[in-house]
Amino acid sequence: MSATIAALFQRLTHGVYVIGVGEGEQRNAFTAAWVMQVSFAPLLLALSINTRHSSYRLLKEQRAFSVNVLGKDRLDLAAHFGQSATVDKLRSQSWTAGHTGVPLLRDAIAWFECTLEDERPAGDHALVLGKVIDGKLLDPGAEPLAYRDTGALDGAAALFPDSFETS
Ligand SMILES: Cc1cc2nc3c(=O)[nH]c(=O)nc-3n(C[C@H](O)[C@H](O)[C@H](O)COP(=O)(O)O)c2cc1C
């Protein structure tokens, strides 16, 4: 494990998001930092998801997901949705269902709703492309939370290698 390499990778600037998946009784959401826009036409977002997350199955089944942008002061939500789904993470939160049924958080500063467009394996994760079908700015003046400001919340230092592979 390498705290030095973890600190290096935290200099790649990311926001902090809650990805909502599923519908009906089968809903869940998890914290993600590896999210980006990848196209204007069509409007596409990409995210990287660990295929062992319980959210992954729901994302594949529903073929949709939401991206909820967290505000600067909502480290509590990043920690809450960073837990595993052994607890019902949405029960204590205020949310509405999007067109596809996926949860949209009322405490986000903005959200996007996406339909699953494509998926590629990416090492120990899957790279998922979503077509943006709706979106809303809930708090236009709010600053987004930065991944770097989440410190060791995701425990990533334990997952980085001790050194780089040079060949
Ligand atoms: C700040 C932060 C960023 C994270 N970024 C990602 C990410 O980009 N992709 C991912 O698959 N997991 C990410 N995680 C880990 C998941 O949120 C975590 O494993 C969660 O328990 C998965 O939930 P689930 O099993 O209910 O789907 C992140 C966690 C934190 C705290």
Side-chain angles (χ1 to χ4, degrees):
M1 103 177 181
S2 169
T4 310
I5 293 180
L8 170 67
F9 273 77
Q10 275 198 329
R11 266 64 183 180
L12 290 174
T13 53
H14 300 284
V16 184
Y17 310 93
V18 173
I19 309 303
V21 292
E23 56 141 10
E25 296 296 299
Q26 294 278 299
R27 281 197 181 93
N28 192 23
F30 72 100
T31 305
W34 294 349
V35 176
M36 65 186 285
Q37 180 181 349
V38 290
S39 166
F40 283 123
L43 270 177
L44 296 176
L45 297 184
L47 67 90
S48 181
I49 178 170
N50 186 320
T51 53
R52 285 176 301 177
H53 290 349
S54 50
S55 300
Y56 180 64
R57 180 182 61 81
L58 294 176
L59 190 156
K60 298 269 285 184
E61 281 173 11
Q62 185 67 10
R63 298 194 62 78
F65 60 91
S66 63
V67 175
N68 300 271
V69 185
L70 296 186
K72 202 180 178 61
D73 57 348
R74 296 317 302 264
L75 200 57
D76 61 324
L77 287 179
H80 177 75
F81 285 104
Q83 304 174 79
S84 73
T86 46
V87 290
D88 180 349
K89 290 182 265 185
L90 285 159
R91 196 155 68 145
S92 58
Q93 304 298 318
S94 179
W95 54 272
T96 55
H99 306 283
T100 61
V102 295
L104 308 169
L105 296 188
R106 290 190 203 272
D107 286 336
I109 63 170
W111 53 254
F112 302 84
E113 183 176 2
C114 301
T115 52
L116 179 60
E117 185 82 3
D118 203 356
E119 183 193 334
R120 300 288 158 91
D124 53 11
H125 280 57
L127 189 60
V128 165
L129 286 186
K131 181 176 172 187
V132 180
I133 59 162
D134 200 3
K136 192 170 184 184
L137 199 47
L138 303 175
D139 189 349
E143 288 279 327
L145 179 62
Y147 174 53
R148 192 181 159 188
D149 294 334
T150 65
L153 190 62
D154 62 359
L159 304 174
F160 280 100
D162 289 329
S163 59
F164 298 108
E165 284 177 27
T166 50
S167 57

